[in-house]
Amino acid sequence: MSEALAARTRKGPDFGLALEFAQAAAIRTAISLPLAMGVESSIAAARDIGEWFATSRINRKRFPRALGNLREAFPDMPEDELRAIAVASYQHLFQLGVEVCFAPRLITEEGWARHLHLDDVAAGLKPLLTEDPCILISGHCGNWELIGYSIAMLGFPMWAVYRPLDLRPLDAWLRQTRQRRGLTLVSKFGAMRTLPAALSRKIAVGLVADQSGGDRGLFVPFFGRLTSTYKSIGLLALQTNARVVCGVARRMRPDEPDATGGASAGGTRLSGPSSMRYRIEVADVFGPQDWNSQPDPLFYITARYRRAIEAMIRRAPEQYLWMHRIWRARPGHERHQKPFPPHLLEKLKSLPWMTDAEIERLVERSARDTADLAAGKKA
């Protein structure tokens, strides 16, 4: 029991806390069911449940949203393929739930090589994480929790930002299980005040960075449309001169060989669609030498890691959570029906990777969003 919970207990009966303990116990009992069934059977069941849930009446609001987001991201893709990806996204979500349960058992010093393939990133992993302050960025694609858990297990101390669970006993259990492997979970509330200290000690910091920053966020391109992103991550990189490493733990296809032609790094051959095989892939690495010469370093950092997250998603779109309201927040010029701001246009033109055609499409899409908002349509 944590010190905070012990202190509350000494003050006398807390029926709210007792209820939370009962709920947490029920959840942990439910979590033990997949462990009793075994990884193969549990993942197969999770995928079946995800396929059913995707198009069920229970999910009648979010599935159309996922389809709409996919149409936005892949406008030239046939409808049947979009629908298949949307269903697979729910299968992926339910499978993640099972894999999180099994991670402490399978991702160990002895067993990690059966499930994780580092390939060409292995040689560069140590200098990436130890020579400079390092911010590791991923999105809600692949298995984002597995990245931090695995890096910490391999001997590199790491802090990961997360949203605390509402059930305090369950949250305490989650922290303790991750801490045993060297992964320190840091609450997202107030994290930006504590993370600089970790970076100054060369402790890597991990963040899932594709959440919406709201109407006051920084709007950068994402699948050809302006999307809101938190400013805090870019400000943290600027404050600490940290190197930014963008990567994903992508679930491997059943027939996908690793770098050795099918054998893991530990020499154990893997097969089957649900053997929990992931490939750690780095999409981009950049640092102060890249943004110091930019007219707006904060905009550059934010746009660049959003671009990297988009690249991760394009590699395996079925492993992204398309059901979220990705483009919900809109920039001020759209909400107030004003022309595209010249200063924003100049910032887009300053990004080295943006082409004139891409900028033109983005401005045109922004004009459509402005018209939709004027007509009372939701993003």
Side-chain angles (χ1 to χ4, degrees), residues 116-239:
L116 296 177
H117 300 268
L118 303 181
D119 293 356
D120 57 342
V121 306
L125 187 62
K126 185 175 181 178
L128 280 178
L129 297 177
T130 59
E131 291 184 358
D132 298 304
C134 183
I135 298 175
L136 299 175
I137 286 180
S138 192
H140 286 97
C141 46
N143 191 331
W144 55 92
E145 179 173 322
L146 197 61
I147 296 178
Y149 187 86
S150 303
I151 288 174
M153 184 277 305
L154 290 171
F156 302 101
M158 184 171 174
W159 289 14
V161 178
Y162 86 119
R163 184 191 182 282
L165 303 180
D166 293 332
L167 291 177
R168 288 166 289 175
L170 196 61
D171 184 70
W173 170 78
L174 179 67
R175 284 174 175 265
Q176 291 163 6
T177 56
R178 299 308 182 255
Q179 185 68 48
R180 283 199 294 267
R181 295 294 181 188
L183 178 65
T184 299
L185 297 182
V186 181
S187 170
K188 62 179 288 187
F189 305 109
M192 294 305 159
R193 293 192 297 270
T194 59
L195 294 182
L199 290 169
S200 68
R201 292 156 50 196
K202 305 295 177 63
I203 296 175
V205 168
L207 301 108
V208 180
D210 59 346
Q211 298 97 328
S212 171
D215 290 340
R216 296 184 179 181
L218 200 60
F219 285 85
V220 296
F222 187 62
F223 284 98
R225 190 178 182 186
L226 292 173
T227 191
S228 177
T229 309
Y230 285 117
K231 302 175 184 177
S232 53
I233 297 173
L235 291 172
L236 179 65
L238 287 171
Q239 177 185 350

Side-chain angles (χ1 to χ4, degrees), residues 4 45 74 101 127-128 171-172 174 274 288 343:
F74 303 100
C101 298
L128 280 178
D171 184 70
L174 179 67
S274 54
H343 71 277

Side-chain angles (χ1 to χ4, degrees), residues 294-315:
Q294 295 298 315
D296 189 333
L298 178 59
F299 188 82
Y300 175 91
I301 294 169
T302 308
R304 184 157 175 176
Y305 76 67
R306 265 289 186 177
R307 175 175 176 257
I309 293 174
E310 179 177 332
M312 301 173 201
I313 296 168
R314 288 185 180 275
R315 293 178 184 178

Side-chain angles (χ1 to χ4, degrees), residues 338-350:
K338 294 182 178 180
F340 200 92
H343 71 277
L344 179 55
L345 184 60
E346 290 304 312
K347 288 182 181 181
L348 293 171
K349 290 180 178 179
S350 73

Side-chain angles (χ1 to χ4, degrees), residues 4 8 19 25 31 57 61 65 70 76 145 151 159 163 166 187 193 270 292-294 299 303-304 309 314 319 358 379:
R8 291 177 61 89
L19 180 60
I31 290 174
R57 290 181 58 84
K61 291 184 178 180
R65 181 191 302 159
L70 280 160
D76 299 325
E145 179 173 322
I151 288 174
W159 289 14
R163 184 191 182 282
D166 293 332
S187 170
R193 293 192 297 270
L270 298 176
N292 281 338
S293 60
Q294 295 298 315
F299 188 82
R304 184 157 175 176
I309 293 174
R314 288 185 180 275
Q319 295 182 34
E358 288 173 332

Side-chain angles (χ1 to χ4, degrees), residues 317-328:
E318 75 283 358
Q319 295 182 34
Y320 186 61
L321 304 188
W322 294 102
M323 62 288 297
H324 289 169
R325 294 184 65 185
I326 302 169
W327 292 282
R328 171 182 56 186

